[in-house]
Amino acid sequence: MAFGKTLADRMALSRYENGTWSTPALVSAASLTLSPAAHALHYGSTCFEGLKAYRGRDGSPKIFRVDRHVRRMRNSAELLCIPFPDIAQVEAMIRSVVADCAAIIPEAPGALYLRPTLIGTEANIGAAGHPSSEAMLYVLASPVGDYFAGGDQGLRILVTEHDMRAVPGFGEAKAGGNYAAALRHVIKARNEHGAAQVLFCPNGDVQETGASNFFLLDDQRLVTKPLDHSFLPGVTRDSIITLARSLGYAIEERSISVREMLDWVKTGEAALSGTAAVFTGVGTLIHEGKDVLVRDGKVGPNTRRLKQALADIQSGAAADPFGWLS
Ligand SMILES: *Cc1c(COP(=O)(O)O)cnc(C)c1O
């Protein structure tokens, strides 16, 4: 299954007009009616979430850390001045889509990917200087397979110390504009270096890639940048930290310099985390035109161990000691 192209027939939808949100309804996901003057289309009032529901061992669907995703979406909406409903309404909309799709959730490691989307819909091309007075929230669903099923070879990642992924202060928002703004760097990295992703390290500060958080790890330690407003606070990032701590790794949330990273990967591992990628090993860092291997270029044992531990909780193969599935 191509990630993201197969959509469930129905989505949950609610509209904000005259200061209130409509009662959410399950409607066809085939199309939307929108004014060509809609605020989102001109002034970028749009944000989204990405989370997964798994087929539980008993056949019933289980959503992974839905509370965290909804709270993060509220934060994105606040930063972009888009109206946002009650947390409880958004969670109920997500659950209604999952229930509607229960029969099409693939077996783990496949899952039902959920895409809550919020857009400003006020029809007013003169509204650059004020927030959209109308909005729409909808939740799409898409059955997905294993995103990076690609064997034991680590990913090729281009390291840039010159480019930024997002405007400072907006990296923490899952805002559509951030992806458009980073895209040209990703395309260049792919075309010129055969890289799968770009690791953004403005002024030597290792932040994250276009859609994943970044970690260094070895047999004892897990190192990642502490949360700030410059990058996305990944739910997978938090889950990997929590799991690694419970498995006895020392957690170091601190800044990482490009220099330290290049030194670390001579013997240590590097990995990316995200809902789609789960926890994926990095095999090569491309830095100033040269390939730097991460150990032997293969996915490392600690990366595999943590990925498996998380996947086992998600699939129901292991217990859920942190109460992440609901
Ligand atoms: C979504 C996203 C992540 C990962 O977040 P998860 O909650 O783990 O899926 C990391 N970085 C960026 C830029 C993202 O958009």
Side-chain angles (χ1 to χ4, degrees):
M1 265 173 297
F3 177 80
K5 280 204 181 174
T6 312
L7 294 184
D9 294 339
R10 300 209 290 172
M11 62 182 179
L13 182 132
S14 173
R15 292 171 196 275
Y16 180 79
E17 279 163 10
N18 304 317
T20 52
W21 286 93
S22 66
T23 304
L26 285 170
V27 299
S28 165
S31 64
L32 268 184
T33 303
L34 200 62
S35 165
H39 198 276
L41 300 178
H42 298 264
Y43 304 121
S45 51
T46 170
C47 63
F48 64 94
E49 266 305 319
L51 68 166
K52 281 177 176 173
Y54 295 86
R55 177 177 290 280
R57 287 259 149 147
D58 60 358
S60 71
K62 300 270 189 270
I63 311 177
F64 189 69
R65 305 195 76 176
V66 61
D67 53 331
R68 285 277 181 146
H69 285 280
V70 174
R71 271 194 279 141
R72 187 171 69 188
M73 191 175 199
R74 181 177 62 181
N75 187 53
S76 297
E78 275 172 7
L79 280 167
L80 296 161
C81 307
I82 316 173
F84 194 70
D86 284 350
I87 290 273
Q89 176 185 325
V90 183
E91 189 170 325
M93 287 172 70
I94 294 170
R95 289 193 188 282
S96 73
V97 172
V98 171
D100 196 49
C101 292
I104 60 162
I105 304 180
E107 298 286 337
L112 187 70
Y113 182 82
L114 298 156
R115 172 54 64 87
T117 309
L118 178 67
I119 58 176
T121 52
E122 181 179 336
N124 180 359
I125 55 173
H130 72 76
S132 181
S133 61
E134 298 177 356
M136 199 186 287
L137 174 70
Y138 53 90
V139 182
L140 297 170
S142 171
V144 295
D146 205 353
Y147 186 55
F148 285 125
D152 65 348
Q153 209 58 37
L155 294 178
R156 275 177 74 76
I157 302 289
L158 180 74
V159 177
T160 170
E161 298 185 50
H162 309 293
D163 304 314
M164 263 189 215
R165 191 186 81 87
V167 174
F170 274 84
E172 67 171 307
K174 242 175 150 62
N178 283 347
Y179 301 84
L183 201 50
R184 69 192 191 286
H185 303 306
V186 178
I187 291 168
K188 193 159 177 261
R190 198 180 294 143
N191 291 346
E192 293 181 9
H193 302 280
Q197 278 292 344
V198 176
L199 181 60
F200 292 94
C201 312
N203 300 316
D205 177 40
V206 178
Q207 292 185 335
E208 64 170 337
T209 70
S212 307
N213 295 122
F214 182 80
F215 291 86
L216 296 175
L217 61 164
D218 63 15
D219 293 348
Q220 283 89 36
R221 289 172 294 169
L222 181 76
V223 190
T224 197
K225 184 175 168 65
L227 294 182
D228 65 22
H229 303 301
S230 71
F231 73 105
L232 218 285
V235 176
T236 317
R237 172 189 178 280
D238 183 80
S239 307
I240 289 286
I241 289 172
T242 303
L243 258 179
R245 185 179 285 125
S246 78
L247 291 171
Y249 290 87
I251 310 298
E252 298 179 15
E253 283 189 81
R254 59 172 174 79
S255 296
I256 302 167
S257 68
V258 168
R259 185 185 296 261
E260 178 191 5
M261 172 176 70
L262 294 175
D263 200 43
W264 180 285
V265 300
K266 289 174 190 159
T267 54
E269 303 169 34
L272 304 179
S273 77
T275 294
V278 187
F279 200 53
T280 303
V282 175
T284 307
L285 297 168
I286 307 153
H287 181 250
E288 287 177 354
K290 289 201 205 75
D291 280 14
V292 178
L293 273 192
V294 178
R295 300 167 75 248
D296 58 358
K298 301 231 163 49
V299 178
N302 294 285
T303 302
R304 275 188 274 119
R305 180 184 182 202
L306 288 171
K307 175 178 183 158
Q308 194 62 46
L310 181 54
D312 284 348
I313 292 177
Q314 291 170 330
S315 70
D320 175 22
F322 310 106
W324 286 338
L325 295 166
S326 65

